Amino acid sequence: NKKGLGQHYFSKLDKINISNIKKNKRILILKDIERFYMDPGGLYKSRHLTLNPNYEFFNYLSSDCKNNTYIKSFPWSNINLSKKIFTEKFGKKIKFLNMHSSKEEYYNSKLLIIDTISTAFYEALYMGIPFILIYDFELNKFQSDFKNKLKELKKLNILHSSAKSAAIFVNKNYKNLFDWWNFVEKNKKFKNIKRSLINYKPNYISKITDELK
């Protein structure tokens, strides 16, 4: 890592100052890669080419929100298939971003829409950018501690078990989104969730040195 020996993944990300993104209007949908087979995580809707929840989410958005929404698909060999489906469903209303680096687009966005518990979920937690997680799969597969964290995120309107619910929330709160997010960031349980899931320790080199003694 160019920032130093032992630096972890999050060291390449800059935390977001809300005052610097208040002028942003973009809702950025981060679309995960589809699977054409059953993987160890199960066949979620987010991994399904035609059942992806983002289609329903976009459909229920207000006209104002649709005008400010962009799709960022994971770069993969069959990316044009999902783009084709979006275009067939929504025509010119849908807009795509073709940059390979999602993190560069985070700083130009007002809200991230994440369709599965993936890298983007942890990036958003670390960076501090407002985000919504659409996750319609059963929570029972998780260990109780993580499951309880997700339940707390649901109470805060971060986690939505349906795309329609997420869209309705965005429509209602888009103009005053940062009022909601300020409340979220001040929430004690949310702070605890971030501390437990994002274990950031900047003094790796000294720790490695101690281990080598």
Side-chain angles (χ1 to χ4, degrees):
N1 188 303
K2 64 181 180 180
K3 291 191 176 182
L5 176 66
Q7 288 296 320
H8 57 54
Y9 174 80
F10 292 115
S11 66
K12 69 179 184 179
L13 303 173
D14 295 323
K15 291 190 176 182
I16 285 178
N17 188 324
I18 293 299
S19 63
N20 292 334
I21 66 169
K22 279 191 173 181
K23 66 182 184 301
N24 294 345
K25 296 182 178 180
R26 179 186 296 168
I27 298 171
L28 182 60
I29 294 177
L30 297 171
K31 194 169 182 297
D32 199 13
I33 188 171
E34 287 89 358
R35 304 290 191 205
F36 294 96
Y37 55 86
M38 183 74 79
D39 65 16
L43 190 59
Y44 306 138
K45 283 186 177 180
S46 65
R47 300 291 180 85
H48 197 288
L49 187 62
T50 58
L51 299 180
N52 186 279
N54 288 312
Y55 303 129
E56 185 179 7
F57 172 78
F58 186 84
N59 184 54
Y60 280 105
L61 284 179
S62 66
S63 296
D64 184 37
C65 288
K66 282 179 180 174
N67 289 335
N68 289 295
T69 298
Y70 290 77
I71 310 293
K72 173 69 176 68
S73 297
F74 189 91
W76 64 300
S77 58
N78 293 311
I79 190 174
N80 289 329
L81 286 175
S82 61
K83 284 186 176 182
K84 181 180 178 182
I85 294 174
F86 263 112
T87 303
E88 288 175 347
K89 286 178 177 290
F90 305 110
K92 294 182 179 180
K93 293 180 180 180
I94 202 74
K95 299 180 284 289
F96 299 97
L97 292 179
N98 295 315
M99 291 182 65
H100 287 287
S101 176
S102 293
K103 69 169 186 171
E104 295 301 326
E105 292 304 320
Y106 291 173
Y107 307 111
N108 296 316
S109 300
K110 180 176 184 176
L111 176 68
L112 302 184
I113 306 299
I114 302 169
D115 61 7
T116 189
I117 299 173
S118 60
T119 302
F121 169 72
Y122 292 96
E123 288 177 340
L125 272 178
Y126 174 78
M127 296 174 71
I129 186 169
F131 74 97
I132 281 177
L133 170 64
I134 302 174
Y135 191 79
D136 64 353
F137 204 71
E138 292 292 331
L139 300 182
N140 293 332
K141 68 170 216 150
F142 295 114
Q143 294 183 357
S144 59
D145 181 56
F146 188 71
K147 182 168 62 176
N148 289 335
K149 289 180 174 62
L150 293 178
K151 288 180 178 178
E152 291 299 329
L153 294 183
K154 192 168 187 177
K155 292 177 184 177
L156 293 169
N157 288 304
I158 293 175
L159 172 64
H160 290 260
S161 56
S162 79
K164 183 178 180 180
S165 167
I168 291 173
F169 180 80
V170 172
N171 290 338
K172 183 178 179 180
N173 294 278
Y174 176 74
K175 291 184 178 180
N176 300 303
L177 188 76
F178 297 109
D179 291 341
W180 161 67
W181 193 248
N182 283 333
F183 170 79
V184 168
E185 290 206 308
K186 292 177 182 178
N187 183 274
K188 183 177 179 180
K189 291 185 177 180
F190 181 71
K191 290 180 179 179
N192 290 336
I193 289 172
K194 288 186 69 172
R195 277 194 292 266
S196 64
L197 294 181
I198 308 298
N199 190 8
Y200 177 69
K201 296 179 180 179
N203 57 335
Y204 277 107
I205 295 178
S206 62
K207 287 184 174 295
I208 292 173
T209 302
D210 290 339
E211 289 294 327
L212 295 175
K213 287 180 180 179

